[in-house]
Amino acid sequence: MAYVISEECISCGACAANCPVEAISEGDERYVIDADKCCDCGSCASGCPVDAIAEA
Ligand code: SF4
Ligand code: SF4
């Protein structure tokens, strides 16, 4: 399982900077997580200011 970013995302970029495996990138409407790279560490979810990241 990987983490996913919901439409609550305000594109602040904090999660991308915190991801140890660079699985997060800026998409067209919000940031997105590459499920193949995500190692489920959870550090992105704890740092999101709007609680937009959760385990899928
Ligand atoms: Fe979006 Fe949250 Fe990531 Fe900021 S930390 S880019 S609000 S998912
Ligand atoms: Fe990156 Fe960890 Fe978030 Fe997965 S759970 S996207 S590895 S920070």
Side-chain angles (χ1 to χ4, degrees), residues 4-5 14 35 39-40 44:
V4 293
I5 296 174
C39 63
D40 288 345
C44 56

PDB file of all heavy atoms in Angstrom, residues 4-5 14 35 39-40 44:
ATOM      1  N   VAL A   4      -1.688   8.342  -0.359  1.00  0.00           N
ATOM      2  CA  VAL A   4      -2.293   9.094  -1.458  1.00  0.00           C
ATOM      3  C   VAL A   4      -2.631  10.513  -0.988  1.00  0.00           C
ATOM      4  O   VAL A   4      -2.867  10.748   0.194  1.00  0.00           O
ATOM      5  CB  VAL A   4      -3.573   8.428  -2.007  1.00  0.00           C
ATOM      6  CG1 VAL A   4      -3.253   7.121  -2.694  1.00  0.00           C
ATOM      7  CG2 VAL A   4      -4.584   8.213  -0.900  1.00  0.00           C
ATOM      8  N   ILE A   5      -2.640  11.450  -1.937  1.00  0.00           N
ATOM      9  CA  ILE A   5      -2.941  12.850  -1.645  1.00  0.00           C
ATOM     10  C   ILE A   5      -4.336  13.179  -2.173  1.00  0.00           C
ATOM     11  O   ILE A   5      -4.640  12.927  -3.334  1.00  0.00           O
ATOM     12  CB  ILE A   5      -1.888  13.771  -2.294  1.00  0.00           C
ATOM     13  CG1 ILE A   5      -0.517  13.489  -1.668  1.00  0.00           C
ATOM     14  CG2 ILE A   5      -2.273  15.233  -2.129  1.00  0.00           C
ATOM     15  CD1 ILE A   5       0.638  14.224  -2.327  1.00  0.00           C
ATOM     16  N   ALA A  14       5.409  20.981   0.933  1.00  0.00           N
ATOM     17  CA  ALA A  14       6.108  20.469   2.113  1.00  0.00           C
ATOM     18  C   ALA A  14       6.324  18.960   2.044  1.00  0.00           C
ATOM     19  O   ALA A  14       7.377  18.449   2.423  1.00  0.00           O
ATOM     20  CB  ALA A  14       5.325  20.821   3.378  1.00  0.00           C
ATOM     21  N   ALA A  35       3.098   5.607  -6.385  1.00  0.00           N
ATOM     22  CA  ALA A  35       2.883   4.431  -5.538  1.00  0.00           C
ATOM     23  C   ALA A  35       4.012   3.408  -5.661  1.00  0.00           C
ATOM     24  O   ALA A  35       4.268   2.640  -4.742  1.00  0.00           O
ATOM     25  CB  ALA A  35       1.547   3.774  -5.886  1.00  0.00           C
ATOM     26  N   CYS A  39       7.491   4.201   0.132  1.00  0.00           N
ATOM     27  CA  CYS A  39       7.856   3.087   1.015  1.00  0.00           C
ATOM     28  C   CYS A  39       7.050   3.129   2.316  1.00  0.00           C
ATOM     29  O   CYS A  39       7.426   2.491   3.298  1.00  0.00           O
ATOM     30  CB  CYS A  39       9.350   3.107   1.293  1.00  0.00           C
ATOM     31  SG  CYS A  39       9.912   4.587   2.160  1.00  0.00           S
ATOM     32  N   ASP A  40       5.958   3.875   2.328  1.00  0.00           N
ATOM     33  CA  ASP A  40       5.036   3.887   3.477  1.00  0.00           C
ATOM     34  C   ASP A  40       5.651   4.399   4.771  1.00  0.00           C
ATOM     35  O   ASP A  40       5.269   3.968   5.855  1.00  0.00           O
ATOM     36  CB  ASP A  40       4.466   2.484   3.727  1.00  0.00           C
ATOM     37  CG  ASP A  40       3.452   2.069   2.674  1.00  0.00           C
ATOM     38  OD1 ASP A  40       2.974   2.947   1.932  1.00  0.00           O
ATOM     39  OD2 ASP A  40       3.138   0.875   2.597  1.00  0.00           O
ATOM     40  N   CYS A  44       5.371  12.233   5.122  1.00  0.00           N
ATOM     41  CA  CYS A  44       4.638  13.256   4.376  1.00  0.00           C
ATOM     42  C   CYS A  44       3.308  13.565   5.050  1.00  0.00           C
ATOM     43  O   CYS A  44       2.920  14.731   5.166  1.00  0.00           O
ATOM     44  CB  CYS A  44       4.401  12.796   2.943  1.00  0.00           C
ATOM     45  SG  CYS A  44       3.540  11.216   2.797  1.00  0.00           S
TER      46      CYS A  44
END
